[in-house]
Short mmCIF file of all heavy atoms in Angstrom, two decimals:
data_model
loop_
_atom_site.label_atom_id
_atom_site.label_comp_id
_atom_site.label_asym_id
_atom_site.label_seq_id
_atom_site.Cartn_x
_atom_site.Cartn_y
_atom_site.Cartn_z
N LEU A 1237 126.14 127.83 63.84
CA LEU A 1237 125.61 128.86 64.74
C LEU A 1237 126.29 130.20 64.48
O LEU A 1237 125.64 131.25 64.48
CB LEU A 1237 125.79 128.44 66.21
CG LEU A 1237 124.91 127.24 66.64
CD1 LEU A 1237 125.32 126.75 68.02
CD2 LEU A 1237 123.43 127.63 66.61
N MET A 1245 120.71 136.30 61.80
CA MET A 1245 119.56 135.53 62.29
C MET A 1245 119.86 135.11 63.72
O MET A 1245 120.57 134.12 63.95
CB MET A 1245 119.30 134.32 61.39
CG MET A 1245 118.67 134.70 60.08
SD MET A 1245 118.32 133.27 59.03
CE MET A 1245 119.64 133.39 57.85
N ASP A 1286 115.73 92.90 49.84
CA ASP A 1286 115.31 91.77 49.01
C ASP A 1286 113.79 91.69 48.91
O ASP A 1286 113.24 91.48 47.83
CB ASP A 1286 115.83 90.44 49.59
CG ASP A 1286 117.32 90.29 49.34
OD1 ASP A 1286 117.88 91.11 48.57
OD2 ASP A 1286 117.94 89.37 49.93
N TYR A 1300 107.65 98.79 54.22
CA TYR A 1300 108.19 97.67 55.01
C TYR A 1300 107.09 96.62 55.11
O TYR A 1300 105.96 96.92 55.52
CB TYR A 1300 108.61 98.16 56.41
CG TYR A 1300 108.96 97.00 57.32
CD1 TYR A 1300 110.11 96.25 57.09
CD2 TYR A 1300 108.13 96.63 58.38
CE1 TYR A 1300 110.44 95.17 57.88
CE2 TYR A 1300 108.45 95.54 59.19
CZ TYR A 1300 109.60 94.82 58.93
OH TYR A 1300 109.92 93.74 59.71
N ASP A 1341 99.55 107.56 52.29
CA ASP A 1341 98.99 106.37 52.93
C ASP A 1341 100.15 105.65 53.62
O ASP A 1341 101.00 105.05 52.96
CB ASP A 1341 98.35 105.49 51.85
CG ASP A 1341 97.66 104.27 52.46
OD1 ASP A 1341 98.08 103.83 53.56
OD2 ASP A 1341 96.71 103.77 51.84
N GLU A 1345 102.56 103.21 51.57
CA GLU A 1345 103.72 103.95 51.07
C GLU A 1345 104.91 103.91 52.02
O GLU A 1345 106.03 104.19 51.62
CB GLU A 1345 103.34 105.41 50.78
CG GLU A 1345 102.32 105.54 49.65
CD GLU A 1345 101.84 106.97 49.47
OE1 GLU A 1345 102.68 107.87 49.33
OE2 GLU A 1345 100.62 107.18 49.51
N LEU A 1392 102.87 110.19 64.45
CA LEU A 1392 103.54 110.07 65.76
C LEU A 1392 102.99 111.08 66.76
O LEU A 1392 102.82 110.77 67.95
CB LEU A 1392 105.04 110.35 65.58
CG LEU A 1392 105.98 109.19 65.65
CD1 LEU A 1392 107.41 109.65 65.38
CD2 LEU A 1392 105.92 108.52 67.04
N CYS A 1395 99.94 109.67 68.13
CA CYS A 1395 100.20 108.56 69.06
C CYS A 1395 100.69 109.09 70.40
O CYS A 1395 100.43 108.49 71.45
CB CYS A 1395 101.27 107.62 68.49
SG CYS A 1395 100.73 106.74 67.04
#
Side-chain angles (χ1 to χ4, degrees):
L1237 291 171
M1245 286 182 256
D1286 286 350
Y1300 171 69
D1341 184 333
E1345 295 174 53
L1392 254 177
C1395 293

